[in-house]
């Protein structure tokens, strides 16, 4: 059976221990904090990879991503080929006043156009200025850290393994054809 007041004594002991320790003050504006590698600061945009598929805007639960585009006709790559049309990005903006930093947009992007940047100093005095356009998102892209190195003991990705197997099969098939041609030439000679 617990002694009456033992919880109070434990709490006071914790308080006393905390009071006797030196306090550590982080001199924030002068000394930047060391952030963990997977810090969620803001979202950076790599425009070259964006195909304006609108997947990020459709999947966003807050509807805070605004995308505008237009179609352009691309001339045929070969003579006699047909012209193609492609989407061209006009506007890509994220309203960070609405964003809940869930990362769904980054996860669903099939072309790796969106990334987490550890940048966290983007406060504004007016809430309307928290809608950042693509030029600002592009600036944050350069603060995105490199991905961590792959574990050497990890399994090879399925895509790479499948591509290698196909390449090996094609190489073996080509070698067999060369050997068959060499035998035919020896037989003719």
């Amino acid at each position: 059976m617990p002694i009456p007041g033992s919880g109070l004594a434990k709490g006071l002991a914790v308080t006393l221990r905390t009071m006797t320790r030196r306090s550590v003050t982080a001199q924030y504006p002068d000394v930047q904090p060391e952030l963990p590698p997977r810090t969620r600061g803001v979202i950076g945009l790599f425009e070259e990879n964006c195909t304006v598929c609108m997947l990020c805007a459709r999947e966003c639960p807050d509807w805070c991503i605004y995308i505008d585009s237009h179609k352009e006709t691309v001339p045929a790559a070969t003579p006699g080929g047909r012209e193609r049309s492609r989407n061209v990005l006009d506007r890509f903006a994220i309203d960070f006043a609405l964003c809940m930093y869930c990362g769904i947009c980054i996860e669903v992007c099939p072309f790796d156009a969106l990334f987490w940047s550890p940048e966290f100093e983007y406060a504004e005095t007016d809430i309307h200025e928290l809608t950042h356009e693509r030029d600002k998102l592009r600036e944050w892209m350069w603060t995105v850290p490199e991905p961590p190195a792959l574990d050497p003991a990890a399994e090879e990705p399925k895509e790479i393994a499948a591509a290698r197997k196909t390449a090996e099969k094609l190489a073996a098939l080509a070698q067999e054809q060369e050997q068959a041609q060499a035998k035919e030439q020896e037989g003719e000679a």
Side-chain angles (χ1 to χ4, degrees):
M1 191 160 199
I3 303 171
S6 64
L8 179 63
K10 285 181 185 177
L12 288 173
V14 170
T15 303
L16 189 60
R17 259 185 303 195
T18 306
M19 284 176 52
T20 58
R21 286 191 202 140
R22 281 193 73 145
S23 62
V24 178
T25 303
Q27 302 297 326
Y28 164 64
D30 301 326
V31 179
Q32 292 293 319
E34 289 196 25
L35 300 171
R38 295 183 55 178
T39 299
R40 290 184 175 193
V42 291
I43 297 168
L45 171 68
F46 191 56
E47 278 184 61
E48 287 78 14
N49 288 356
C50 183
T51 61
V52 196
C53 66
M54 304 279 194
L55 220 63
C56 54
R58 279 184 279 165
E59 294 296 324
C60 179
D62 291 334
W63 292 87
C64 65
I65 300 175
Y66 309 110
I67 301 174
D68 291 330
S69 67
H70 69 276
K71 288 201 182 280
E72 268 186 7
T73 304
V74 179
T78 59
R82 68 181 185 120
E83 295 179 335
R84 306 268 180 192
S85 66
R86 69 179 181 105
N87 285 329
V88 177
L89 186 66
D90 291 330
R91 178 181 187 224
F92 193 104
I94 299 176
D95 187 352
F96 286 104
L98 295 175
C99 183
M100 65 181 187
Y101 303 92
C102 63
I104 292 174
C105 56
I106 295 169
E107 294 295 322
V108 301
C109 182
F111 302 104
D112 289 333
L114 298 172
F115 294 90
W116 280 118
S117 167
E119 191 69 34
F120 63 93
E121 297 173 319
Y122 56 96
E124 300 288 345
T125 55
D126 185 14
I127 195 168
H128 298 294
E129 293 175 9
L130 281 172
T131 301
H132 295 289
E133 298 291 332
R134 70 181 183 178
D135 56 339
K136 188 66 175 176
L137 300 175
R138 173 74 171 201
E139 286 177 30
W140 285 328
M141 183 60 210
W142 307 124
T143 63
V144 172
E146 288 186 28
L150 296 175
D151 183 6
E155 225 177 81
E156 187 176 38
K158 295 174 191 170
E159 296 86 357
I160 294 174
R164 188 177 341 88
K165 285 181 185 177
T166 304
E168 288 171 358
K169 285 180 185 177
L170 290 173
L173 191 65
Q175 189 177 16
E176 288 175 14
Q177 288 177 351
E178 287 177 11
Q179 289 175 353
Q181 287 177 354
K183 287 182 183 179
E184 284 179 19
Q185 289 176 356
E186 286 177 10
E188 291 176 5

